[in-house]
Amino acid sequence: RYLFIYITNSYGISVIYKYFVFTVYISIIHFKIYFPEKLKYKLAMINIMIIVGCSNSKYLAKSVAKKLNFSYQDLNMDIAPDGELHLRFSDDLKNKTAVLVQSFYPHPNHSLMEVLFAASTARDLGANKVILVAPYLAYLKEDKRVIKGECVSTRVVSELLSKNFDAIVSVEPHGHDNQ
Protein backbone atom coordinates (compact mmCIF):
# COMPACT_ATOMS: atom_id res chain seq x y z
CA ARG A 1 0.00 0.00 0.00
CA TYR A 2 2.92 2.33 0.60
CA LEU A 3 5.85 3.31 -1.50
CA PHE A 4 8.64 4.86 0.52
CA ILE A 5 11.48 5.99 -1.65
CA TYR A 6 14.67 7.18 0.00
CA ILE A 7 17.23 9.05 -2.04
CA THR A 8 20.31 10.65 -0.57
CA ASN A 9 23.13 12.47 -2.29
CA SER A 10 25.87 14.76 -1.03
CA TYR A 11 25.94 16.92 -4.16
CA GLY A 12 23.37 19.39 -2.91
CA ILE A 13 19.82 20.52 -3.38
CA SER A 14 19.81 20.75 -7.20
CA VAL A 15 20.73 17.07 -7.50
CA ILE A 16 18.19 16.14 -4.83
CA TYR A 17 15.57 18.18 -6.69
CA LYS A 18 16.34 16.40 -9.99
CA TYR A 19 16.10 13.01 -8.33
CA PHE A 20 12.95 14.10 -6.51
CA VAL A 21 11.17 15.05 -9.75
CA PHE A 22 12.37 11.76 -11.26
CA THR A 23 11.11 9.87 -8.17
CA VAL A 24 7.68 11.46 -8.46
CA TYR A 25 7.63 10.60 -12.14
CA ILE A 26 8.58 6.95 -11.47
CA SER A 27 6.01 6.73 -8.68
CA ILE A 28 3.28 7.95 -10.99
CA ILE A 29 4.27 5.22 -13.44
CA HIS A 30 4.32 2.64 -10.60
CA PHE A 31 0.79 3.52 -9.53
CA LYS A 32 -0.39 3.35 -13.16
CA ILE A 33 -1.19 7.03 -13.26
CA TYR A 34 1.26 7.62 -16.11
CA PHE A 35 0.09 7.24 -19.70
CA PRO A 36 1.84 7.18 -23.09
CA GLU A 37 2.96 10.56 -24.47
CA LYS A 38 0.09 10.78 -26.97
CA LEU A 39 -2.47 10.52 -24.17
CA LYS A 40 -0.54 12.52 -21.59
CA TYR A 41 -1.63 15.95 -22.80
CA LYS A 42 -5.24 14.90 -23.40
CA LEU A 43 -5.46 13.45 -19.91
CA ALA A 44 -3.84 16.53 -18.41
CA MET A 45 -6.46 18.65 -20.14
CA ILE A 46 -9.31 16.66 -18.61
CA ASN A 47 -7.59 16.96 -15.23
CA ILE A 48 -7.39 13.39 -13.96
CA MET A 49 -4.60 14.37 -11.59
CA ILE A 50 -4.07 17.55 -9.67
CA ILE A 51 -0.86 18.51 -7.88
CA VAL A 52 -1.60 20.44 -4.68
CA GLY A 53 1.01 22.69 -3.12
CA CYS A 54 0.83 22.69 0.67
CA SER A 55 2.36 25.43 2.82
CA ASN A 56 5.99 24.23 2.90
CA SER A 57 6.31 23.08 -0.72
CA LYS A 58 4.35 25.33 -3.08
CA TYR A 59 7.32 26.10 -5.36
CA LEU A 60 8.31 22.44 -5.62
CA ALA A 61 4.71 21.37 -6.31
CA LYS A 62 4.40 23.95 -9.10
CA SER A 63 7.64 22.70 -10.64
CA VAL A 64 6.53 19.05 -10.50
CA ALA A 65 3.13 19.91 -12.01
CA LYS A 66 4.75 21.87 -14.82
CA LYS A 67 7.30 19.11 -15.50
CA LEU A 68 4.58 16.43 -15.66
CA ASN A 69 2.06 18.69 -17.42
CA PHE A 70 -0.64 18.27 -14.78
CA SER A 71 -2.95 20.77 -13.16
CA TYR A 72 -1.74 22.64 -10.09
CA GLN A 73 -3.50 24.39 -7.25
CA ASP A 74 -2.43 25.93 -3.98
CA LEU A 75 -4.00 24.60 -0.82
CA ASN A 76 -5.65 27.70 0.61
CA MET A 77 -4.90 27.86 4.30
CA ASP A 78 -5.52 30.33 7.08
CA ILE A 79 -4.50 30.13 10.70
CA ALA A 80 -7.06 31.30 13.24
CA PRO A 81 -5.97 33.53 16.14
CA ASP A 82 -6.00 30.50 18.44
CA GLY A 83 -3.64 28.63 16.08
CA GLU A 84 -6.17 26.28 14.46
CA LEU A 85 -5.85 25.54 10.75
CA HIS A 86 -8.56 26.31 8.24
CA LEU A 87 -7.98 25.00 4.72
CA ARG A 88 -9.84 24.90 1.44
CA PHE A 89 -9.36 23.45 -2.03
CA SER A 90 -10.24 25.90 -4.79
CA ASP A 91 -10.71 23.32 -7.58
CA ASP A 92 -13.03 20.35 -7.86
CA LEU A 93 -11.39 17.05 -6.84
CA LYS A 94 -14.23 14.68 -7.73
CA ASN A 95 -12.92 11.57 -9.52
CA LYS A 96 -9.35 12.91 -9.59
CA THR A 97 -6.07 11.85 -8.03
CA ALA A 98 -4.92 14.50 -5.56
CA VAL A 99 -1.15 14.64 -5.03
CA LEU A 100 -0.36 16.66 -1.91
CA VAL A 101 3.20 17.99 -1.88
CA GLN A 102 4.37 18.91 1.62
CA SER A 103 7.74 18.87 3.29
CA PHE A 104 7.53 18.29 7.02
CA TYR A 105 10.29 20.83 7.58
CA PRO A 106 9.98 23.32 9.17
CA HIS A 107 7.26 22.80 11.77
CA PRO A 108 6.59 19.04 11.55
CA ASN A 109 3.57 19.15 13.88
CA HIS A 110 1.83 21.85 11.85
CA SER A 111 2.78 20.13 8.58
CA LEU A 112 1.40 16.77 9.71
CA MET A 113 -1.95 18.27 10.75
CA GLU A 114 -2.14 20.19 7.48
CA VAL A 115 -1.69 17.08 5.30
CA LEU A 116 -4.09 15.02 7.45
CA PHE A 117 -6.79 17.70 7.15
CA ALA A 118 -6.09 18.08 3.42
CA ALA A 119 -6.23 14.32 2.76
CA SER A 120 -9.47 13.93 4.68
CA THR A 121 -10.99 16.90 2.88
CA ALA A 122 -9.83 15.63 -0.53
CA ARG A 123 -11.52 12.26 0.12
CA ASP A 124 -14.65 14.04 1.34
CA LEU A 125 -14.68 16.06 -1.90
CA GLY A 126 -14.58 12.86 -3.97
CA ALA A 127 -10.91 12.35 -4.86
CA ASN A 128 -10.27 8.81 -6.16
CA LYS A 129 -6.75 8.62 -4.77
CA VAL A 130 -4.77 10.79 -2.40
CA ILE A 131 -0.98 10.63 -2.59
CA LEU A 132 1.47 12.38 -0.30
CA VAL A 133 4.77 13.56 -1.75
CA ALA A 134 6.92 14.53 1.24
CA PRO A 135 10.47 15.60 0.37
CA TYR A 136 11.23 15.45 4.10
CA LEU A 137 9.12 13.16 6.27
CA ALA A 138 9.42 13.68 10.02
CA TYR A 139 8.86 11.37 13.01
CA LEU A 140 10.65 8.32 11.64
CA LYS A 141 13.58 8.24 14.09
CA GLU A 142 11.84 6.48 16.95
CA ASP A 143 10.99 3.05 15.55
CA LYS A 144 11.28 1.21 18.86
CA ARG A 145 10.79 1.95 22.52
CA VAL A 146 14.15 2.53 24.19
CA ILE A 147 12.94 3.84 27.55
CA LYS A 148 9.90 2.43 29.34
CA GLY A 149 6.81 4.55 28.62
CA GLU A 150 8.28 6.21 25.54
CA CYS A 151 6.16 6.88 22.45
CA VAL A 152 7.07 4.99 19.27
CA SER A 153 6.42 7.92 16.94
CA THR A 154 7.08 5.98 13.73
CA ARG A 155 4.19 3.63 14.50
CA VAL A 156 1.80 6.45 15.39
CA VAL A 157 2.60 8.54 12.30
CA SER A 158 2.50 5.45 10.04
CA GLU A 159 -0.98 4.60 11.30
CA LEU A 160 -2.21 8.16 10.76
CA LEU A 161 -0.78 8.34 7.26
CA SER A 162 -1.94 4.86 6.23
CA LYS A 163 -5.53 5.75 7.04
CA ASN A 164 -5.44 8.86 4.87
CA PHE A 165 -3.14 8.22 1.90
CA ASP A 166 -3.03 5.64 -0.87
CA ALA A 167 0.72 6.15 -1.35
CA ILE A 168 3.63 8.14 0.03
CA VAL A 169 6.74 9.28 -1.83
CA SER A 170 9.58 10.62 0.29
CA VAL A 171 13.08 11.73 -0.62
CA GLU A 172 14.37 12.27 2.91
CA PRO A 173 12.58 10.14 5.50
CA HIS A 174 13.71 11.36 8.89
CA GLY A 175 15.27 8.09 10.06
CA HIS A 176 18.29 7.37 12.23
CA ASP A 177 20.11 5.90 9.21
CA ASN A 178 20.53 9.46 7.92
CA GLN A 179 22.94 10.57 10.62
Side-chain angles (χ1 to χ4, degrees):
R1 183 164 159 138
Y2 275 106
L3 174 65
F4 280 98
I5 298 175
Y6 173 61
I7 297 173
T8 183
N9 193 311
S10 61
Y11 295 110
I13 289 294
S14 63
V15 173
I16 292 292
Y17 174 75
K18 269 199 274 187
Y19 282 117
F20 180 70
V21 171
F22 176 73
T23 301
V24 171
Y25 190 73
I26 294 302
S27 300
I28 288 168
I29 293 168
H30 175 77
F31 289 105
K32 297 180 178 131
I33 301 167
Y34 175 78
F35 300 92
E37 284 298 319
K38 291 180 182 177
L39 294 176
K40 185 176 177 182
Y41 296 103
K42 290 180 185 177
L43 292 169
M45 288 179 9
I46 60 170
N47 296 322
I48 61 158
M49 175 185 282
I50 191 156
I51 309 292
V52 180
C54 297
S55 65
N56 291 338
S57 301
K58 290 181 187 293
Y59 176 77
L60 179 61
K62 285 178 189 174
S63 298
V64 170
K66 184 177 180 181
K67 187 92 165 163
L68 298 177
N69 199 34
F70 285 110
S71 298
Y72 170 82
Q73 72 167 288
D74 281 330
L75 181 64
N76 299 311
M77 188 183 67
D78 294 315
I79 300 175
D82 63 357
E84 290 184 0
L85 299 177
H86 173 78
L87 56 87
R88 179 178 53 83
F89 289 94
S90 55
D91 293 344
D92 183 28
L93 297 178
K94 191 164 184 71
N95 299 321
K96 296 179 185 171
T97 297
V99 179
L100 304 177
V101 182
Q102 172 76 313
S103 177
F104 281 48
Y105 178 84
H107 316 296
N109 300 334
H110 174 91
S111 302
L112 177 61
M113 292 306 295
E114 182 181 346
V115 297
L116 292 174
F117 287 174
S120 179
T121 303
R123 290 231 189 264
D124 190 44
L125 295 173
N128 285 339
K129 290 184 181 178
V130 182
I131 298 171
L132 173 63
V133 175
Y136 173 80
L137 189 59
Y139 292 110
L140 298 183
K141 275 193 175 189
E142 295 181 14
D143 58 352
K144 61 184 175 185
R145 187 170 285 118
V146 178
I147 301 169
K148 183 178 177 180
E150 192 172 52
C151 173
V152 181
S153 60
T154 301
R155 185 179 312 138
V156 174
V157 170
S158 296
E159 288 171 5
L160 287 170
L161 295 176
S162 69
K163 291 177 183 174
N164 290 283
F165 292 97
D166 296 300
I168 295 173
V169 179
S170 183
V171 174
E172 181 67 35
H174 185 63
H176 55 267
D177 297 338
N178 300 336
Q179 294 179 355

